[in-house]
């Protein structure tokens, strides 16, 4: 049986866990990776030639796919860093 007790959360150990270097590095990489994933379409449109910037970025654009993949890899690395000490 699962008990959920919100008053019993130990914030001292939570803060101590967050302050560890590998967790901080993992969180930073996760934030950067997530930002890359969200901004991939905008970055791909800026990377285009001047006359093509007004057109929408297609889903099969190589720059768009590369940025999304790099963001996902950064999220994976962040997860691996945070899980394994």
């Amino acid at each position: 049986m699962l008990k959920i007790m919100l008053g019993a959360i130990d914030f001292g150990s939570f803060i101590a866990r967050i302050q560890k270097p590998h967790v901080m590095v993992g969180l930073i990489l996760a934030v950067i990776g997530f930002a890359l994933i969200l901004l991939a379409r905008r970055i791909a449109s800026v990377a285009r030639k001047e006359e093509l910037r007004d057109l929408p970025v297609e889903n099969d654009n190589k720059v768009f796919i590369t940025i999304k993949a790099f963001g996902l890899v950064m999220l994976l690395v962040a997860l691996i860093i945070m899980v394994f000490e």
Side-chain angles (χ1 to χ4, degrees):
M1 187 168 164
L2 179 66
K3 274 189 178 180
I4 299 176
M5 296 178 4
L6 296 176
I9 295 175
D10 184 16
F11 286 109
S13 65
F14 176 72
I15 291 174
R17 174 81 174 164
I18 293 270
Q19 289 177 345
K20 291 185 177 181
H22 65 277
V23 175
M24 292 174 101
V25 169
L27 286 173
I28 290 169
L29 285 176
V31 167
I32 292 171
F34 192 65
L36 277 176
I37 291 170
L38 291 179
L39 296 173
R41 195 169 301 274
R42 185 167 292 181
I43 294 169
S45 69
V46 169
R48 289 175 147 189
K49 293 181 182 177
E50 188 71 33
E51 59 269 2
L52 297 175
R53 286 188 184 165
D54 295 334
L55 299 175
V57 176
E58 303 84 18
N59 288 336
D60 60 346
N61 189 332
K62 291 179 184 178
V63 175
F64 176 69
I65 294 171
T66 304
I67 294 171
K68 280 257 190 189
F70 187 68
L72 288 172
V73 167
M74 286 185 75
L75 278 175
L76 178 67
V77 169
L79 178 68
I80 290 171
I81 288 174
M82 285 192 293
V83 169
F84 301 115
E85 294 185 27

